[in-house]
Amino acid sequence: MTLPIHRINAVSTLVEVDDRRFNATQLSVKGTGSFTVEIGPGVFKLSGQVFGDLRVVDEGDLVTVESGEVTVNTRIEKEDFIIEDNVLYGYSKPMIVSVTVNKDVITKLNYKYSYKSANIKIRVDGCSVYFNAITSPFLSAWLYINEGVVYVEKELAGLNIAVLRRQERREVREVISQEGGLQPSLT
């Protein structure tokens, strides 16, 4: 049986789920899916899809999109990262990414790896996630991923994060390159 696929797009305070449109300053997405998030000073974009039966709740300033249960455990059970120059990659269960925006974008991975950049792009592929964003009056986002491999690269233009469903750590770079994700700067 194939699970239904639902489109989600958000730009600033405009949220579109399939063919429905909402105006909200907060967005919450819970379920399994694939999407890209771009965040910077004055910039919030989310585009992608979630899989499964969909439930959308419009509470005025908050739109909640749910397509399944995601149990949140904020204690990091396993973390296996390699850090080389401007790259961090490896496996984490769970993985928590928090983003705050003032003049710069401050990103924290698993409460301890901190990055300061002009903007951030996060790509999630096929993972169980819980994503929250506040887009006004300030910009802040929080992303919880049950488990997955991560590839983080800091470039002059900004910070790039790719998260894929579980693979072996040694395969992370190859999988991300083959799936058209971030191209590793190190060989």
Side-chain angles (χ1 to χ4, degrees):
M1 182 173 115
T2 304
L3 293 175
I5 299 172
H6 304 279
R7 275 183 317 107
I8 299 177
N9 290 303
V11 177
S12 188
T13 60
L14 178 63
V15 178
E16 185 178 274
V17 180
D18 291 332
D19 292 329
R20 296 179 279 178
R21 290 187 178 179
F22 308 93
N23 194 358
T25 58
Q26 296 180 48
L27 172 63
S28 180
V29 178
K30 194 184 228 185
T32 300
S34 299
F35 55 89
T36 301
V37 180
E38 295 178 45
I39 299 173
V43 175
F44 171 74
K45 294 179 187 175
L46 179 141
S47 63
Q49 54 194 15
V50 291
F51 314 117
D53 295 330
L54 190 67
R55 180 173 167 249
V56 179
V57 179
D58 180 7
E59 298 179 41
D61 282 348
L62 169 64
V63 171
T64 303
V65 179
E66 295 179 353
S67 70
E69 265 312 298
V70 176
T71 303
V72 175
N73 173 14
T74 57
R75 188 179 132 269
I76 306 302
E77 293 177 26
K78 183 172 182 182
E79 181 181 279
D80 186 13
F81 290 144
I82 293 174
I83 301 172
E84 300 172 346
D85 295 329
N86 62 336
V87 175
L88 175 147
Y89 64 97
Y91 168 78
S92 185
K93 178 180 181 175
M95 185 178 322
I96 299 166
V97 179
S98 62
V99 180
T100 55
V101 179
N102 288 314
K103 290 181 191 174
D104 295 312
V105 177
I106 307 297
T107 305
K108 281 198 172 185
L109 177 65
N110 288 357
Y111 306 114
K112 58 184 167 185
Y113 303 97
S114 186
Y115 298 91
K116 182 178 178 180
S117 60
N119 58 54
I120 183 172
K121 184 174 184 176
I122 303 170
R123 183 183 134 219
V124 176
D125 186 14
C127 298
S128 291
V129 300
Y130 189 3
F131 174 78
N132 284 306
I134 299 172
T135 60
S136 181
F138 57 91
L139 186 50
S140 178
W142 180 81
L143 175 64
Y144 172 89
I145 302 164
N146 272 349
E147 75 174 315
V149 294
V150 63
Y151 184 89
V152 179
E153 184 170 23
K154 183 163 183 182
E155 300 174 333
L156 290 175
L159 186 67
N160 292 310
I161 299 177
V163 184
L164 306 171
R165 59 196 162 276
R166 183 157 170 37
Q167 300 285 333
E168 292 299 318
R169 186 188 74 202
R170 67 184 177 281
E171 299 174 10
V172 172
R173 290 179 178 211
E174 293 81 11
V175 169
I176 291 171
S177 286
Q178 290 168 1
E179 294 191 12
L182 304 173
Q183 298 301 314
S185 63
L186 303 174
T187 55

